[in-house]
Amino acid sequence: MKADRLLSILLLLQTRGRVPAGELAARLEVSTRTVHRDIESLSAAGVPVYAERGRHGGIALLPGFRTDVTGMTTDEARALFILAAQGAHTALGLDEALGSALRKVMAALPAPHRPAAELAGSRILVDPDKWMSGPRPAVDLDELQTAVFTDRRLRIRYRHSGETRLRTYTVDPYGLVAKAGTWYLVADRRGRPQLFRADRVGSAALTDAPVRRREGVELAAVWQQLRRQVEDRPAEVRVTARIRRDRLDLAVRILGGALTGPPRTGDGTESPDVGSPGDGWAVIELAYPVLGAVRQLLQFGDSLEVLDPPAARRVMAEAAAALTAVYAANAPSA
């Protein structure tokens, strides 16, 4: 739209000073003639803009003319430009809008705060993906966010964890939440709050019915309720294991939430430096929702031994024996 283009020209001139008409045309993806017509429109509207001819000429604003974001501090400017690194905008299709918004903010920032904002954007990077998490499946949030912003009921085809078939639900969305790089739809189903992982939504379709949220309940409150249900889920199996100290640092990163406390050295004291090499062992305590989940520890090979409970040791022994049999059966003959 022309109004958006005129505002973009104005903000670019405030940020850059004198800008050649050809550069403006390239940035805005229009012809140079269109840029000159837009400059005439700005001038007719009372904006003190002028053009200089020649090799070093260009289009500029009279000195002293600008719009300003008053009262913004250096830390506030940094916070805005670090926000651009969160990664959520890409999934929501808002990268272009974010870039445009930040250009407008940069143009309106008081001059003393611009260097701090630019430095924050180039020195702080937030990567929401975990180490060794593998590639994430593509997530289509278009229908989900449309339902959220238009307050419409949503019909989804959803696959629960551990299942292969899709189930059909009609839900009342509260909103979308991005946690550790994973998107969730927070919604009521039959009046009860429920989490739906966006990458397990096979299809989504808006209905003609308006959303039916519980009165006075907002997204933040529902999310906290559901989050507590997940985090406070009781662990059925407590496991004690020993692990070689030179593998401990890796184990802490991989096992994450399964650990119930800091590692302990062989003498029972807390290990102060989990990353130091050596031939000794450290003791770790873990909690799993089901006994079979202890198979996760097989990835550490003979660097980890489950000590207790006996049932967990049996699961590990049976899994290791089955794995040995698979490789023995397929071993090449001598």
Side-chain angles (χ1 to χ4, degrees), residues 167-238:
R167 300 173 183 262
T168 301
Y169 299 122
T170 298
V171 299
D172 296 294
Y174 285 92
L176 294 166
V177 174
K179 180 172 176 60
T182 300
W183 282 96
Y184 294 90
L185 173 70
V186 178
D188 276 354
R189 184 172 75 87
R190 297 179 179 175
R192 299 173 64 90
Q194 190 167 336
L195 274 181
F196 299 93
R197 273 185 59 145
D199 56 7
R200 293 188 191 143
V201 175
S203 63
L206 295 174
T207 71
D208 294 329
V211 71
R212 302 175 189 173
R213 300 188 185 106
R214 285 166 286 146
E215 185 176 355
V217 179
E218 299 293 338
L219 171 63
V222 182
W223 168 251
Q224 288 303 321
Q225 177 187 353
L226 292 169
R227 178 177 174 176
R228 284 195 300 269
Q229 289 177 5
V230 173
E231 294 178 347
D232 297 343
R233 186 177 297 161
E236 300 293 335
V237 182
R238 299 280 175 168

Side-chain angles (χ1 to χ4, degrees), residues 2 6 31-42:
K2 183 176 180 179
L6 293 178
S31 67
T32 304
R33 179 176 296 182
T34 297
V35 168
H36 284 295
R37 285 201 299 265
D38 288 345
I39 297 303
E40 292 176 1
S41 297
L42 286 172

Side-chain angles (χ1 to χ4, degrees), residues 267-292:
D267 59 5
T269 62
E270 182 177 326
S271 176
D273 180 8
V274 299
S276 61
D279 295 330
W281 295 79
V283 176
I284 55 176
E285 305 282 347
L286 307 106
Y288 288 107
V290 294
L291 184 61

Side-chain angles (χ1 to χ4, degrees), residues 112-135:
H113 299 330
R114 289 184 195 169
E118 291 177 334
L119 187 62
S122 63
R123 294 291 188 270
I124 304 296
L125 176 65
V126 179
D127 185 344
D129 293 332
K130 296 179 181 179
W131 291 112
M132 296 175 286
S133 61

